[in-house]
């Protein structure tokens, strides 16, 4: 009898709890980038504790959770509202969900009694949707025709609401009406959907910029939507990671804790404080912190919070060599071990290719590091030579801050790891247990283990995330089409030779990988079995010549060797590509044939920029000059002796001037006005 009574009261308590809170609004899709997504809850009573609740997001494709967000510690406001979303949502959400985390649908968001740990997610799938402890759920989609049918059946949902967004549309959200039905209209985060309720005073934070240099001073302005009736005192913090109290000061800054106190006086609606950034002489790298406001008194709401501030370190390191866009030659010496390539001398054809592989895939020497280690490798290997706080993005030919490394799923404004020999073509796979363990831990590898190509740094480069996505798994070439990648418009192709030499390396390093003529396999979907082929070989051989190896590439080769204990021989000896893949196949190879480490200081090409002519001097004997477009099209070729004044027959633009003097080859980049 006692157990029945206990069960009876438990059920009453459960039902009361269920009726007290529900999902009030969801914005899962934004016009353009998804950076203002949110989910809003509403309780039937104000200031309702959300302890014991969890938001769970389910994927229709496998009816399993992909993200769970614990609500312990959160409380609804005077209107019974609490919203959780991206940091750009305004008013500021009381809990942060990473940008692009909420899927566009068709999917379901659900509110459960429980914890996030009740819905574990592995690399393959999450926990299947269930009615157990379910409080509320909304099925949604970004299409009128696609609905979360499977999830709706599991959760007994009968209605799916569509929120259709386009890049140029106004932002909309799915909102619950007072009668329990839903409508789609402009978002109303943080307030009742019908506009009723207690009028709250919103505190806004603003600055003239969100990035500053060491030594700068900036003002943070605070304002309320209506004047305060009594002094409003609040605090904020700036410290995060390596950014500490030693990095800033100010009149209102507590010198012990770093906490900043601000007061908006009664009858006014604004106040400000000045922050002074310390200009030290220590190279710490760029830092990012964020302004976090303290809890405000009842009746006040943070209109924005978690404002990120970037501080650029002015003590960065500048290298002696140039960027790929402004290359230098002969400054960085190759760190080739004595005798490293001796076994190649006098070989030709298949025997030469096999001998190269024996060096760069030697299982007793070559080291395989984790894919996670690649982040650490390329942060140094692809460092911008003119600013050590940045990395150089290959395709877009410009730097990005190291701080902008992609962490979550969002690629907007982030850089990530680009596989030059793309994963879908090579069949590379990332281990489920992949983690960074440093330079001193590695495993052995061999030419037969093609999947090891996923973490071979010789073909993995820093790239802007959106451009990496645009390249996808396209082949390389000079003819613009849906299946051939030619790079971003208005760039100079400074990456052409780098790509070619990386692919030559991969085609020798791993059995089953090949560079072939044409456009093999067209545009492979992710479900297609990897063929191991990439092209176009003729284009790559041309790029190897027209975009010669520079100091940046040699420095990269040297650094990767310290991790992998192998080098890219086609960087050390670019001409070797012709003997393994090109016109000299079948001829004997000797290292003396590839002499591109000549004294470039003797060769002068001027003026640059040029208009009608170029002067080429500093050579001895017979030579040939060839002028190519940036895409590799030959437009002029003239033989000369010692020196020449070359009349230019080309329109304004960027060109490559290739000068051949015996076995020596020099390529210069010029601008014609």
């Amino acid at each position: 009898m006692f157990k029945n009574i206990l069960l009876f009261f438990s059920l009453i308590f459960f039902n009361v709890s269920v009726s007290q809170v529900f999902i009030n609004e969801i914005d899962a899709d934004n016009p353009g980038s998804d950076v203002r997504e949110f989910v809003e809850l509403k309780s039937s009573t104000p200031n309702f504790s959300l302890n014991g609740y969890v938001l769970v997001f389910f994927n229709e494709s496998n009816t399993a959770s992909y993200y769970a967000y614990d609500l312990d510690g959160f409380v609804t406001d005077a209107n019974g509202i609490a919203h959780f979303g991206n940091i750009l949502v305004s008013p500021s959400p009381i809990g942060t969900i990473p940008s692009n985390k909420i899927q566009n649908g068709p999917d379901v968001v659900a509110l459960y009694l429980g914890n996030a740990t009740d819905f574990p997610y592995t690399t393959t799938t999450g926990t299947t949707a269930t009615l157990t402890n379910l409080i509320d759920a909304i099925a949604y989609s970004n299409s009128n025709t696609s609905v979360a049918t499977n999830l709706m059946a599991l959760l007994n949902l009968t209605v799916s609401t569509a929120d259709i967004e386009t890049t140029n549309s106004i932002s909309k959200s799915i909102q619950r009406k007072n009668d329990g039905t839903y409508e789609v209209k402009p978002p109303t985060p943080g307030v009742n959907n019908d506009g009723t309720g207690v009028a709250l005073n919103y505190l806004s934070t603003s600055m003239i910029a969100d990035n500053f240099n060491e030594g700068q001073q900036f003002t943070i302005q605070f304002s309320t939507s209506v004047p305060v009736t009594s002094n409003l005192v609040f605090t904020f913090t700036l410290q995060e990671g390596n950014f500490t109290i030693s990095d800033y000061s100010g009149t209102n800054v507590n010198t012990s804790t770093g906490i900043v106190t601000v007061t908006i006086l009664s009858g006014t609606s604004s106040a400000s404080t000045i922050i002074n950034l310390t200009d030290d002489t220590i190279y710490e790298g760029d830092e990012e912190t964020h302004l976090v406001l303290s809890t405000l008194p009842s009746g006040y709401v943070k209109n924005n919070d978690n404002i990120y501030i970037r501080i650029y370190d002015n003590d960065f390191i500048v290298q002696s060599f140039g960027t790929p866009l402004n290359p230098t030659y002969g400054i960085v010496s190759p760190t080739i071990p004595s005798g490293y390539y001796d076994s190649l001398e006098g070989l030709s054809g298949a025997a030469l290719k096999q001998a190269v592989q024996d060096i760069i895939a030697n299982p007793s020497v070559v080291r395989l590091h984790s894919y996670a280690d690649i982040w650490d490798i390329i942060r140094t290997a692809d460092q911008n030579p003119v600013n050590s706080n940045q990395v150089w993005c290959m395709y877009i030919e410009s730097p990005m801050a190291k701080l902008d490394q992609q962490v979550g799923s969002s690629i907007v404004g982030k850089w990530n790891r680009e596989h030059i020999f793309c994963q879908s073509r090579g069949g590379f796979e990332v281990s489920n247990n992949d983690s960074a363990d440093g330079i001193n831990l590695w495993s052995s590898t061999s030419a037969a283990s093609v999947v090891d190509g996923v973490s071979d740094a010789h073909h993995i480069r820093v790239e802007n995330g959106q451009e990496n996505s645009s390249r996808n798994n396209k082949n390389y070439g000079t003819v613009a089409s849906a299946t051939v990648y030619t790079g971003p418009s208005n760039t100079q192709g400074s990456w052409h030779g780098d790509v070619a030499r990386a692919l030559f390396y991969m085609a020798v390093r791993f059995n089953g990988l090949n560079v072939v003529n044409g456009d093999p396999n067209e545009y492979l979907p992710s479900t297609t079995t990897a063929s191991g082929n990439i092209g176009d070989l003729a284009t790559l051989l041309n790029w190897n010549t027209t975009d010669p190896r520079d100091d940046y590439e040699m420095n990269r080769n040297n650094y990767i060797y310290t991790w992998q204990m192998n080098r890219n021989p086609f960087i050390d000896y670019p001409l070797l590509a012709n003997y393994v893949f090109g016109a000299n196949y079948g001829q004997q190879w000797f290292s003396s044939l590839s002499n591109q480490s000549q004294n470039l200081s003797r060769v002068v090409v001027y003026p640059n920029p040029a208009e009608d002519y170029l002067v080429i001097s500093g050579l001895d004997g017979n030579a040939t000059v060839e002028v190519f477009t940036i895409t590799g099209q030959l437009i002029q070729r003239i033989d000369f002796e010692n020196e020449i004044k070359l009349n230019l027959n080309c329109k304004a633009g960027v060109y490559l001037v290739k000068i051949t003097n015996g076995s020596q080859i020099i390529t210069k980049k010029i601008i014609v006005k």
Side-chain angles (χ1 to χ4, degrees):
M1 181 65 178
F2 177 78
K3 289 183 178 178
N4 290 336
I5 293 174
L6 181 61
L7 176 61
F8 173 75
F9 281 107
S10 296
L11 288 174
I12 290 177
F13 176 76
F14 176 76
N15 289 330
V16 169
S17 298
V18 169
S19 66
Q20 285 186 314
V21 63
F22 51 83
I23 299 172
N24 199 45
E25 185 174 359
I26 178 171
D27 191 354
D29 189 14
N30 305 148
S33 301
D34 287 339
V35 293
R36 289 180 172 84
E37 305 165 329
F38 69 91
V39 175
E40 178 183 88
L41 303 181
K42 182 173 176 62
S43 60
S44 57
T45 58
N47 306 312
F48 178 80
S49 172
L50 296 175
N51 285 343
Y53 290 88
V54 58
L55 276 173
V56 184
F57 300 84
F58 291 105
N59 191 325
E60 166 65 11
S61 64
N62 59 10
T63 66
S65 61
Y66 66 88
Y67 183 58
Y69 191 90
D70 256 322
L71 302 182
D72 292 341
F74 295 109
V75 179
T76 63
D77 64 17
N79 290 312
I81 296 292
H83 67 297
F84 306 86
N86 308 153
I87 60 172
L88 293 184
V89 174
S90 179
S92 182
I94 63 172
T96 303
I97 295 175
S99 296
N100 292 287
K101 174 59 75 173
I102 303 176
Q103 296 179 170
N104 293 346
D107 287 313
V108 164
V109 58
L111 178 67
Y112 282 89
L113 281 172
N115 298 295
T117 54
D118 298 328
F119 300 88
Y121 177 79
T122 66
T123 56
T124 55
T125 187
T127 305
T128 302
T130 174
L131 284 170
T132 305
N133 293 334
L134 178 66
I135 304 300
D136 192 20
I138 295 179
Y140 65 90
S141 177
N142 63 349
S143 165
N144 278 323
T145 57
S146 243
V147 296
T149 307
N150 297 322
L151 282 168
M152 291 171 67
L154 284 171
L155 300 174
N156 288 345
L157 301 177
T158 58
V159 177
S160 177
T161 305
D163 174 15
I164 302 171
E165 306 273 355
T166 63
T167 301
N168 298 318
S169 70
I170 64 169
S171 183
K172 292 167 288 184
S173 67
I174 299 169
Q175 301 178 31
R176 188 181 191 274
K177 297 194 291 185
N178 292 332
D179 63 4
T181 61
Y182 296 91
E183 62 181 337
V184 177
K185 63 180 185 178
T188 60
V191 298
N192 288 334
N193 295 336
D194 62 2
T196 62
V198 178
L200 301 173
N201 200 346
Y202 291 93
L203 176 67
S204 298
T205 306
S206 62
M207 298 180 295
I208 60 171
D210 59 6
N211 58 86
F212 305 94
N213 296 320
E214 280 187 347
Q216 278 191 293
Q217 181 185 84
F218 64 94
T219 300
I220 306 175
Q221 186 78 31
F222 300 94
S223 60
T224 54
S225 52
V226 295
V228 301
T229 55
S230 61
N231 287 357
L232 172 62
V233 181
F234 58 93
T235 63
F236 67 87
T237 58
L238 284 175
Q239 300 181 72
E240 181 174 294
N242 294 327
F243 188 80
T244 67
I245 183 58
S246 64
D247 294 311
Y248 68 100
S249 62
T251 303
N252 300 321
V253 178
N254 185 304
T255 56
S256 298
T257 65
I259 295 175
V260 189
T261 301
V262 182
T263 301
I264 297 180
L265 297 176
S266 177
T268 68
S269 59
S270 65
S272 63
T273 190
I274 296 174
I275 300 297
N276 302 302
L277 295 173
T278 305
D279 186 6
D280 56 31
T281 57
I282 305 169
Y283 174 54
E284 304 160 298
D286 294 342
E287 296 173 303
E288 195 168 61
T289 186
H290 69 285
L291 184 157
V292 180
L293 291 170
S294 61
T295 301
L296 299 177
S298 177
Y300 291 93
V301 175
K302 304 171 188 178
N303 195 43
N304 53 343
D305 194 9
N306 288 310
I307 299 172
Y308 281 82
I309 304 170
R310 181 163 295 184
I311 299 92
Y312 294 116
D313 189 346
N314 56 15
D315 300 303
F316 56 80
I317 299 168
V318 179
Q319 299 290 347
S320 59
F321 56 91
T323 69
L325 200 57
N326 297 288
T328 57
Y329 304 89
I331 295 174
V332 178
S333 299
T335 56
I336 305 171
S338 177
Y340 189 73
Y341 291 118
D342 285 357
S343 60
L344 307 184
E345 296 296 295
L347 298 182
S348 62
L352 175 61
K353 182 178 180 181
Q354 183 60 56
V356 175
Q357 186 186 71
D358 291 343
I359 296 171
I360 64 176
N362 185 344
S364 66
V365 175
V366 180
R367 300 173 179 176
L368 173 68
H369 290 277
S370 73
Y371 187 45
D373 279 325
I374 289 294
W375 289 117
D376 290 328
I377 297 174
I378 62 178
R379 282 171 66 88
T380 297
D382 290 345
Q383 185 169 286
N384 181 12
V386 299
N387 187 334
S388 56
N389 294 324
Q390 302 170 339
V391 285
W392 185 265
C393 295
M394 178 175 64
Y395 297 140
I396 66 171
E397 299 181 330
S398 63
M400 292 183 70
K402 287 184 177 180
L403 289 175
D404 289 325
Q405 175 182 321
Q406 181 181 338
V407 177
S409 59
S410 176
I411 61 175
V412 178
K414 303 296 182 181
W415 61 267
N416 55 25
R417 299 165 291 189
E418 155 70 341
H419 288 84
I420 295 176
F421 203 118
C422 39
Q423 294 186 65
S424 61
R425 293 182 178 278
F428 312 137
E429 299 176 1
V430 179
S431 168
N432 290 338
N433 299 318
D434 185 66
S435 62
D437 47 26
I439 193 171
N440 294 320
L441 292 176
W442 68 89
S443 57
S444 61
T445 178
S446 71
S449 184
V450 178
V451 294
D452 291 351
V454 74
S455 58
D456 194 310
H458 282 300
H459 86 120
I460 302 175
R461 296 288 288 263
V462 163
E463 192 49 62
N464 171 272
Q466 290 167 286
E467 189 59 35
N468 190 349
S469 179
S470 296
R471 187 261 162 145
N472 205 320
N473 60 0
K474 297 175 184 176
N475 293 282
Y476 295 95
T478 55
V479 179
S481 73
T483 60
V484 177
Y485 182 74
T486 57
S489 59
N490 302 316
T491 52
Q492 298 184 25
S494 62
W495 48 272
H496 285 173
D498 303 52
V499 160
R501 289 179 282 273
L503 291 179
F504 296 151
Y505 164 87
M506 291 295 286
V508 177
R509 168 70 173 85
F510 296 103
N511 296 333
L513 300 187
N514 305 284
V515 282
V516 297
N517 282 310
D519 187 10
N521 308 314
E522 296 303 313
Y523 190 62
L524 295 174
S526 58
T527 55
T528 302
T529 302
S531 67
N533 294 331
I534 198 166
D536 166 54
L537 177 57
T539 296
L540 297 172
L541 287 167
N542 183 45
W543 284 357
N544 183 46
T545 300
T546 57
D547 177 31
R549 173 210 69 211
D550 55 26
D551 287 319
Y552 180 91
E553 196 177 1
M554 181 58 75
N555 179 74
R556 191 175 198 280
N557 198 18
N558 291 344
Y559 183 72
I560 292 172
Y561 175 77
T562 66
W563 280 76
Q564 297 187 180
M565 300 307 291
N566 71 347
R567 300 181 63 82
N568 184 340
F570 301 100
I571 295 175
D572 292 332
Y573 296 120
L575 192 62
L576 180 62
N578 291 344
Y579 287 76
V580 176
F581 299 101
N584 299 110
Y585 183 85
Q587 299 177 17
Q588 285 184 300
W589 164 259
F590 296 97
S591 58
S592 59
L593 296 169
S594 188
N595 182 15
Q596 293 193 19
S597 58
Q598 53 195 291
N599 183 4
L600 297 176
S601 62
R602 295 178 51 218
V603 181
V604 180
V605 178
Y606 66 93
N608 190 13
E611 292 186 2
D612 303 320
Y613 69 91
L614 277 178
V615 173
I616 302 169
S617 62
L619 292 164
D620 295 324
N622 296 326
T624 301
V625 58
E626 296 170 297
V627 180
F628 296 87
T629 65
I630 200 67
T631 59
Q633 179 184 359
L634 177 65
I635 58 173
Q636 280 184 263
R637 183 183 188 280
I638 296 178
D639 296 326
F640 68 98
E641 186 173 356
N642 299 333
E643 184 173 313
I644 186 175
K645 180 179 180 181
L646 175 66
N647 293 321
L648 295 172
N649 300 318
C650 51
K651 58 185 180 181
V654 179
Y655 295 87
L656 298 170
V657 178
K658 176 184 173 184
I659 304 160
T660 305
N661 179 218
S663 62
Q664 297 182 334
I665 300 173
I666 307 165
T667 302
K668 299 277 190 178
K669 193 173 293 183
I670 64 163
I671 297 173
V672 177
K673 297 191 294 185

